[in-house]
Amino acid sequence: MSGLLSGLLIALPSLVEAFTGETAATSFFLALSPAFSLPLLVALHRRQAAVTGRFGEAAHVVNLIGLGLFGGAAFAANLVLFHFDEDVIDETLTGPTIPALIGSAAVFAFGCALFGTAMVRARVFPRVPSWSYATALPLFAFLIALPDSLFTSALHIVVGATLTWLAVDLWKPGGAADRAARSA
């Protein structure tokens, strides 16, 4: 359930932002999404762990750490920095802050690429969201800093749809559970 909420908390506000631009309301919902992604990541890993082995375990750990770091950065950006003037933001983002944010994005991107690769190799989840996890989420990590545009909104929607699809697949009969049993 949290995975579904995570995907919707990215996709729906981003759909609104495509027409209105960023608002305090959309930023609020986007800031909450990473917290709901954590249980999804654990559920995805548990479902495919028997098939992915050590590579899957390592990918899961790196993705989990990256999601924690990136989620904290997204929370701060959407709930704190959003309300600051540009001058205050420029003054605040000095010293080690920028390298720390870039490092967070890098760990998240690397973790998503690894975990997505584990999903593609395991064939427990559908191919489209597995490939999207491996490619769109790492791209998302670095392009999030771009100014709001239709492209960034579309990327948010793709990421939200990917998480939603994977979450729904965990619940439906004949979904990931049956594929995991066949793969093992």
Side-chain angles (χ1 to χ4, degrees), residues 2-28:
S2 70
L4 181 63
L5 192 54
S6 172
L8 293 175
L9 286 173
I10 294 173
L12 296 178
S14 299
L15 184 61
V16 170
E17 285 184 355
F19 298 100
T20 65
E22 190 173 12
T23 67
T26 58
S27 287
F28 173 78

Side-chain angles (χ1 to χ4, degrees), residues 91-180:
E91 194 174 304
T92 304
L93 298 179
T94 59
T97 307
I98 295 294
L101 292 173
I102 292 170
S104 296
V107 173
F108 177 69
F110 187 61
C112 288
L114 287 176
F115 192 73
T117 300
M119 284 196 294
V120 169
R121 289 174 55 190
R123 296 183 180 176
V124 171
F125 297 101
R127 299 298 253 173
V128 171
S130 296
W131 276 102
S132 180
Y133 198 100
T135 58
L137 271 73
L139 192 62
F140 175 71
F142 288 107
L143 298 183
I144 198 81
L146 292 178
D148 289 337
S149 67
L150 284 177
F151 175 72
T152 57
S153 291
L155 184 59
H156 275 78
I157 292 167
V158 167
V159 168
T162 298
L163 298 179
T164 301
W165 189 345
L166 290 168
V168 167
D169 193 69
L170 283 168
W171 286 92
K172 69 180 181 180
D178 289 346
R179 285 190 297 279

Side-chain angles (χ1 to χ4, degrees), residues 6 10 29-39 67 70-72 74-75:
S6 172
I10 294 173
F29 291 115
L30 285 166
L32 297 179
S33 178
F36 293 105
S37 295
L38 290 167
L67 179 57
F70 189 71
F75 188 86

